[in-house]
Each structure stands twice: as structure tokens, then as C-alpha cells.
Amino acid sequence: MASKEEVFLEKVSSKFEVEGKIQRERRIWLSTDKVNLIPLCTWLKGEGFIHLSALSVTDWLEEGKYEVTYHLWSYEDRILVTVKTKIDRENPVIDSVVSLWDANAQAHEREMHELFGIKFEGNPNLTPLFLENWEGPPPFRKDFNWREYVKEKYYHKDDDTERVYYD
Amino acid sequence: MIDQMESAAKGSDFDLYFGPAHSGSGNFGVKLKINGEQVVSAVSDPGYLHRGFEKLMEYRVPIQNAVISDRLCVLEALNWNLLHAEAVDELMGIDIPERAKYIRVIVAELSRIQSHIIWFGVLSIGIGFDTGFKLAFGYRDYILDLFEMITGGRVYPTGYICPGGVRRDLPDGAEEKILQVLDKIEEMIDLEELENPVFKARLKGLAVLTLYDAIRLGATGPVIRASGMKTDVRKDEPYEVYDRFDFEIPVRYEGDAYARFLIGVEEMKQSIKIIKQALRDLPDGPVIDKKLKKPRPKGKIPKGEVYVRNEVSRGEGAFYMISDGSGMPYRCKIRGPSFLHMIPVLEYLLKGVQIADVPAVYWSLNICPADLDR
């Protein structure tokens, strides 16, 4: 008998253009294009994935892409589906999922906007969450050298006690 | 007369900053708009404790990250230790020794109990009931003594639960000591139930979260269980050896602050039940995988990605870890339950309550600024 993961994967593959794999029990990973994201997420929510467990971004510097991941949990089926989609690193714009997961998605997108600089179109509030008066680039980018930034911004070469950081 | 009162109320609009350096708030701020005695709107203002752990972990090997993972939440360091260790275990494809699994469960449940005791303590002080606070921190010390004996650290175990198992076996006589402490904790639970009238008076009907809103705002753990959803990661998706134990998931349907408080009390009882079963079944054998005995693991972490979920005492905790094969995680996303409890849920629940109830609502959610800010 096919497991519930296999049944689910078959169902989603027949409806959308996705690359799916079953990692283990209760873990399914789906990769899709940016254009398919909202229809896929809408369908998933209808299938019972009402809990957005997390929303994360990975910076693939060498490839020049950001990968946005949505970790969705279904209380009924007890499956965690991760939807992954890649967007351009130079122009990071993606549609917001606030209309689906409401304030939950709103808070997560707000955090990711601050840390990676991704624009979520349709999110009503993308004001900074953690950082105050931050002038540097989005800090979680792979090409952001925080050691250099801290040296330049917060230490003084002339100060005897702080000169060690420059040696 | 009424006109006078109304104009006085109109003139009393003001902003109140609850935190981040407030004895009743922890390292976290809420900006409140007040009209008279009533909160009109609340805006969470996190960031006071932001340490960028996700970024820090990208520059460190797992054994260092195990120590960092303690600091994800001061009040339940071992649960976060466990979560980090599980993520690395799964990436490396290690099946850890049986005895280590049992020890992990025992210390994680002890950590959950002491976290719930603190919850009782801070909720007491949130409603102005000082005795409860003192009781809680007194009884919590029994568990801290246990942690000192088992892990070497009272609050921070400095990576006791490390990838591959646990760092040390239980010391001689630990089983009896744990059972003695559990007796003490039962005393504490009795006291919590004894002081119930105070909580009833202040918390009943306060800050009601319906199940619809709980799902919409992403609540997990005790908060969603108090709103009527029977869910617990330990049951939904058993990790370690939780599927071998017999315990219940407490559920209540009122959704108010008092229901959340009762869930906390009931969960402590269930944790005691789990620890007793784990001690009874504790097998012999090694406590750490051979490959990971030394601080520098022999095999490098293979390429891959995992999403590991656990039930920490505040709700659903998760690690999303990507490895590119270098030995250090390429990306580490940490999902703390308080992130959603303190931003959307808190903002929603604070609307319309009285100023005096703000700390009570705040602490009834069992929140921890540390795992929000990370």
C-alpha cells in the first residue's frame, strides 16, 4: 500500500509542475517556479496545511539566487511539506502569502525582509523588526562581512585598547 | 457629569512603553496606546536581545553550535540543545545509542518542568502575587541542582545534549535523586493548585483566543491547546523515544488566560509521568556515538537539508539546517514558538485589556524573548 506521503506527492504532481521528493516519514520537499507559488500554496492550504511553521530564506551566493522556503504543517495528515522557490538575487521580489496565512506569514516575511532584503509584494507592513537605525546592507546575506563592518563602524584604530582588532 | 468624564477620558490618550527594561516584561518591549485605563492598540518591539545566532552558527562547527544553542532560551536551555543535536544527527544520518535517547528525554522533560515552574512564577508576579514567584523559584532550584549534577551547569548545560548523544552518562545515584526531586515537584504542583483562587479571580475570561484566531495567528504549544486544539509534536511526530511512553495531551476549550495556566499545571504532571517511565526503562550501554566522541567529528557533515521539529515547553520549536558539506551549517533557521506568540498573538490579545492586566496577558502566553530575538 502506498504511504500517505506517496499519495500526497502523486496528487500534487498531477496538479502542479513541481519537483518533489520524500525525505522520510512526514517530510516532503517540493520545488517550484515563482509563478506557481501562489496557486500551489492556495491549493495546499485548502488541503489542510493551515499552519505555516516557518518561512525561511537561503542565500545561494554562487548561483546568484535566493531560495524562499515555506514549511507547512497539516494537523490532520501530520505531514510537513516544504515548498521551495528560487528568485533572482539582484532583484528579490516575490508575492506575499499574507492572504493565506495572515498575521503569521506577515511576521515571518517582515523578518526575512529585514535580514535578506527581499520584497514581499502585498505585505502591508515591512518595517524593521530587530535592528534599530541600521545603515548597512541586509545582515544575513552571505556577502556581508560582519567582521569588517563591526571593525569599521564600532572600533577605533586610535584607541589603545581596541587596536588589537586591527593587528 | 458624564460630559466631564468623557472629556477627561479624551484627554487621557497616551503612549506607554512596556519594556524592554521593565521588571515585568523581560528583554522585550511593547508599545501600548492607552485611553484612560484601556489599551487601544499594542505594537511589539523586539530586538533588544537580538544576537544573530542564525548567522553566528554559519561560522561554527556543530560542537560550538551546541553551546550556542543553550542560549536560544535561557529558561529551557536543554530543550534547545536537544533540537540542535537532533538536526545534526539527522544530517549525519546517525542513530544514537538507546541509553542516550532515554537520557535526552529525561533531561528535556526536567527542563520542561522547570520552565513551567518559571511560567507559574512570572505569571504570579504578573498578577501581583509575589508569593507564587518565590515559591516557584525556590522549587525550581531543586531541578537546577539536578542539572548541576548531571550536566555540570545549573542554567546553561553548555552543550550537554550534543550531536551523537549526550556528553556524559548519568552520575551514580542520579536516578534516586531525580525521583526525590520529582516528589518535591509534586508538592509544588499541589501548591499551584492550592493558590488557584488568586489565579481564577484575575485570569478567568481574560484575553480569550478562539481556535480560529489561534490557527490564524500561528499559535502552538500550550497556547493552542488551551484554545481547543489537541496537538503536541511529541505525539504528532514522535522524536527520540516519546512513542514508547504513556502520557496525555491536556486540552481545554476556553482559550482564556486561566485555561493556559491550567494547561501548564497539567503538563507538569504529564512530564513527571514521562520521566518516571523513562527511569524505569532506562537501558544500559554507551551514551554517545563512537564517531562523535571527540570534539572534532571524524566524518564531515554530508550535504543535505533537514527540518526538525520538537515540542519545547513554549510550543513548537524547529531547526531548518542546510549543510553544504563543509562541516559548518550553510544556513540555520531557528523557529522559536515565541516569535508568533509575542508578535501577532500578543498584539491581538492586548487590544482592549486594562493596563493592570497587561503583564498577566503577557505572561499567560508562556513567552521567552530570547527565542523570539535569537
Side-chain angles (χ1 to χ4, degrees):
Chain A
M1 205 183 91
S3 66
K4 61 181 174 185
E5 289 83 3
E6 282 164 353
V7 173
F8 173 81
L9 195 59
E10 194 130 306
K11 213 165 153 192
V12 71
S13 308
S14 67
K15 282 202 168 25
F16 297 95
E17 267 181 52
V18 290
E19 230 177 274
K21 77 164 194 223
I22 298 169
Q23 187 186 24
R24 63 167 168 95
E25 208 192 346
R26 300 199 182 89
R27 286 289 179 282
I28 296 173
W29 301 78
L30 302 174
S31 306
T32 186
D33 275 346
K34 191 175 147 186
V35 282
N36 288 335
L37 180 74
I38 297 298
L40 176 62
C41 285
T42 313
W43 181 78
L44 282 171
K45 202 194 166 197
E47 287 291 297
F49 290 86
I50 48 175
H51 178 52
L52 176 69
S53 177
L55 195 161
S56 169
V57 175
T58 315
D59 181 6
W60 297 105
L61 188 60
E62 281 170 22
E63 222 180 304
K65 298 269 188 198
Y66 278 133
E67 190 173 57
V68 188
T69 53
Y70 303 81
H71 307 273
L72 310 170
W73 175 256
S74 161
Y75 286 113
E76 285 161 30
D77 297 338
R78 299 183 180 178
I79 303 177
L80 189 116
V81 170
T82 301
V83 179
K84 304 198 286 183
T85 184
K86 283 193 177 171
I87 54 170
D88 193 21
R89 202 169 175 279
E90 298 308 313
N91 180 27
V93 182
I94 194 163
D95 287 330
S96 164
V97 290
V98 168
S99 56
L100 298 170
W101 288 285
D102 214 296
N104 179 349
Q106 199 275 329
H108 274 117
E109 288 182 349
R110 196 172 152 199
E111 184 193 356
M112 288 304 137
H113 172 72
E114 177 176 36
L115 300 178
F116 287 94
I118 293 180
K119 274 197 200 82
F120 291 91
E121 277 185 342
N123 190 315
N125 179 12
L126 288 174
T127 48
L129 197 61
F130 297 130
L131 311 169
E132 230 163 73
N133 306 326
W134 178 260
E135 287 154 7
F140 274 32
R141 285 187 178 204
K142 280 278 173 186
D143 55 359
F144 171 64
N145 191 334
W146 48 274
R147 289 197 173 97
E148 285 301 318
Y149 184 83
V150 168
K151 254 192 211 173
E152 257 173 46
K153 184 113 182 163
Y154 300 108
Y155 292 128
H156 304 287
K157 227 173 188 168
D158 329 322
D159 193 327
D160 281 350
T161 53
E162 290 178 353
R163 208 180 315 152
V164 289
Y165 297 110
Y166 292 87
D167 294 340
Chain B
M1 181 67 186
I2 289 170
D3 284 354
Q4 272 177 348
M5 278 166 75
E6 266 178 3
S7 68
K10 259 180 210 149
S12 65
D13 270 12
F14 61 98
D15 289 351
L16 184 73
Y17 284 69
F18 181 70
H22 181 274
S23 54
S25 79
N27 304 313
F28 181 77
V30 192
K31 291 176 191 161
L32 304 168
K33 270 206 186 318
I34 309 277
N35 180 284
E37 282 275 308
Q38 208 169 29
V39 177
V40 180
S41 74
V43 178
S44 296
D45 179 24
Y48 196 63
L49 204 60
H50 187 63
R51 297 147 292 177
F53 280 162
E54 291 173 6
K55 184 90 175 168
L56 283 180
M57 283 186 174
E58 290 173 12
Y59 296 84
R60 280 159 179 79
V61 292
I63 199 79
Q64 294 171 305
N65 286 341
V67 180
I68 290 185
S69 70
D70 289 359
R71 268 78 175 167
L72 278 170
C73 182
V74 189
L75 309 176
E76 45 169 352
L78 277 154
N79 294 71
W80 285 102
N81 251 197
L82 175 62
L83 198 41
H84 169 264
E86 276 181 3
V88 180
D89 286 346
E90 201 184 325
L91 270 174
M92 294 185 79
I94 299 173
D95 192 26
I96 65 158
E98 278 289 289
R99 188 176 170 82
K101 285 184 188 168
Y102 277 82
I103 296 176
R104 280 181 174 190
V105 168
I106 292 168
V107 290
E109 288 306 314
L110 280 172
S111 177
R112 186 188 314 278
I113 294 177
Q114 66 94 27
S115 166
H116 276 340
I117 291 179
I118 297 175
W119 183 15
F120 174 80
V122 289
L123 186 57
S124 308
I125 213 155
I127 60 174
F129 173 52
D130 271 14
T131 317
F133 180 77
K134 280 156 192 151
L135 269 179
F137 277 74
Y139 276 94
R140 176 192 178 221
D141 243 51
Y142 289 115
I143 297 185
L144 294 190
D145 287 346
L146 272 184
F147 285 165
E148 190 179 0
M149 183 181 73
I150 298 171
T151 72
R154 286 170 67 79
V155 178
Y156 292 127
T158 49
Y160 173 73
I161 301 180
C162 57
V166 293
R167 259 195 334 206
R168 265 190 303 250
D169 205 343
L170 292 178
D172 291 338
E175 282 93 337
E176 291 84 68
K177 272 200 184 133
I178 292 173
L179 287 173
Q180 278 170 15
V181 170
L182 291 185
D183 286 345
K184 283 279 173 198
I185 301 308
E186 273 165 2
E187 232 173 70
M188 171 73 198
I189 295 173
D190 289 345
L191 285 169
E192 283 190 20
E193 283 172 344
L194 200 69
E195 305 296 355
N196 227 342
V198 187
F199 285 85
K200 237 182 208 164
R202 283 298 300 277
L203 300 180
K204 241 186 169 171
L206 178 69
V208 178
L209 188 68
T210 60
L211 183 57
Y212 171 78
D213 284 322
I215 294 169
R216 182 173 67 84
L217 303 169
T220 51
V223 178
I224 200 165
R225 285 198 282 277
S227 295
M229 173 79 94
K230 191 167 186 172
T231 174
D232 188 313
V233 184
R234 291 175 293 175
K235 284 266 191 205
D236 290 353
E237 191 184 350
Y239 49 95
E240 303 299 336
V241 285
Y242 277 109
D243 47 348
R244 298 181 199 171
F245 304 129
D246 167 43
F247 64 99
E248 298 291 318
I249 312 172
V251 185
R252 295 195 77 85
Y253 298 91
E254 300 90 338
D256 58 356
Y258 184 63
R260 291 193 277 277
F261 159 71
L262 288 181
I263 292 275
V265 177
E266 190 54 41
E267 275 185 28
M268 282 165 65
K269 289 183 195 164
Q270 299 301 330
S271 290
I272 291 176
K273 221 167 140 187
I274 295 173
I275 296 171
K276 282 187 174 160
Q277 290 173 58
L279 282 175
R280 188 193 62 203
D281 303 343
L282 190 65
D284 287 329
V287 291
I288 188 158
D289 193 85
K290 281 197 292 298
K291 266 192 283 181
L292 288 163
K293 233 174 188 168
K294 289 193 180 136
R296 284 217 176 258
K298 266 184 199 157
K300 281 216 166 136
I301 302 175
K303 259 188 181 178
E305 52 187 341
V306 290
Y307 192 78
V308 180
R309 293 166 81 231
N310 265 15
E311 185 77 19
V312 297
S313 72
R314 280 145 232 288
E316 174 200 10
F319 254 75
Y320 174 46
M321 203 185 264
I322 302 178
S323 162
D324 61 347
S326 68
M328 292 185 271
Y330 186 81
R331 165 91 171 111
C332 211
K333 159 84 188 171
I334 301 156
R335 188 244 191 246
S338 302
F339 182 73
L340 294 169
H341 289 168
M342 293 179 87
I343 301 173
V345 177
L346 186 68
E347 283 177 2
Y348 173 76
L349 288 183
L350 281 181
K351 245 174 246 170
V353 303
Q354 303 288 308
I355 297 182
D357 287 336
V358 170
V361 176
Y362 184 91
W363 288 115
S364 77
L365 294 167
N366 191 11
I367 48 193
C368 171
D371 83 54
L372 155 77
D373 274 351
R374 303 185 297 281

